[in-house]
Amino acid sequence: MRIYIFALLLISGFVQAQETPVVKWATQETFFEDLSGKDLPDFEGLTINQKTFGKADLKNQIVVINFWFEKCPPCLAEMPELNKLVGEYREKGVRFIGITHDTPMRARRFQKRNGYQYEIVSLTHDEIRKLNINHGFPSNILIGSNGKIVYATANISFTDTAFKAKSVLFEQKLKAEIEKNRGSGINIPKK
């Protein structure tokens, strides 16, 4: 009788285990993977020149968005690499936007002092949180000309081995998006 009860418990446990869904733990990587194919959410902020800027200003453009703030050491560390991307891809129709929770005046001083080449848009902490597309700072998001997220990653670095593979993949996806849109009339942003 004991063997029969033990076997029954074992079988019921096995059946129950087979019906339990697989849990996908939320990590920075899974968060970024889940963004692919989603629309860039609406947002509206202020540029360093106090002009309103939002999602509508990016229509039909390939866009790289960098989430950063002035007191973020990893954000500052990646800026030389980000500036290289601007130098290489701006003329190919890519728009580079830096979103920060720093005030427009503070961001303007930072840009002047440090030469960060992205167009800067200031949002509040809460507005950035509601976008729900960055997972910490820095975060880098590639948006296709159709307004959908193509790829997202944390730090960009082509020299730091911890970030190099994802940075190379980011750039490959950027090149593929440019190639896909070649000749489709993408707006090249003014400098």
Side-chain angles (χ1 to χ4, degrees):
M1 183 70 163
R2 286 184 194 173
I3 294 174
Y4 177 73
I5 292 172
F6 177 74
L8 185 60
L9 288 173
L10 186 63
I11 290 170
S12 68
F14 177 75
V15 170
Q16 191 175 31
Q18 295 298 313
E19 295 173 4
T20 305
V22 176
V23 175
K24 184 175 177 183
W25 295 102
T27 65
Q28 189 176 48
E29 278 188 30
T30 60
F31 176 85
F32 285 140
E33 288 169 5
D34 289 346
L35 290 177
S36 292
K38 292 185 178 176
D39 288 328
L40 173 65
D42 285 326
F43 69 93
E44 192 169 280
L46 290 175
T47 68
I48 59 174
N49 296 321
Q50 301 288 326
K51 295 190 186 218
T52 303
F53 187 97
K55 177 183 174 180
D57 295 298
L58 303 174
K59 189 174 181 168
N60 299 321
Q61 297 177 56
I62 299 170
V63 182
V64 173
I65 298 176
N66 171 244
F67 287 90
W68 70 283
F69 64 97
E70 182 178 14
K71 304 274 186 210
C72 167
C75 300
L76 303 178
E78 76 174 353
M79 285 184 178
E81 304 260 13
L82 297 176
N83 283 342
K84 286 178 186 175
L85 289 176
V86 173
E88 188 165 343
Y89 295 104
R90 178 182 277 154
E91 294 299 321
K92 294 178 181 174
V94 179
R95 189 130 183 219
F96 294 87
I97 307 297
I99 294 181
T100 184
H101 55 69
D102 294 331
T103 65
M105 186 186 330
R106 186 179 196 127
R108 181 183 201 147
R109 279 193 309 261
F110 174 86
Q111 187 175 45
K112 189 174 185 178
R113 218 177 30 247
N114 295 289
Y116 180 48
Q117 295 177 24
Y118 279 44
E119 297 174 69
I120 300 176
V121 179
S122 293
L123 301 174
T124 66
H125 285 277
D126 198 44
E127 290 167 330
I128 291 173
R129 183 188 57 77
K130 286 179 184 174
L131 282 174
N132 197 31
I133 61 172
N134 74 310
H135 194 279
F137 293 87
S139 290
N140 295 279
I141 316 293
L142 173 59
I143 311 296
S145 61
N146 62 358
K148 297 206 180 285
I149 297 171
V150 174
Y151 187 71
T153 189
N155 302 65
I156 297 284
S157 177
F158 296 96
T159 55
D160 185 331
T161 55
F163 306 112
K164 186 174 182 174
K166 291 196 181 273
S167 301
V168 167
L169 184 57
F170 188 92
E171 188 173 24
Q172 287 171 345
K173 290 190 178 280
L174 176 58
K175 287 176 181 178
E177 197 63 26
I178 292 167
E179 192 59 36
K180 182 171 94 176
N181 289 284
R182 191 175 302 270
S184 66
I186 287 183
N187 300 322
I188 296 177
K190 295 176 177 72
K191 291 182 183 176

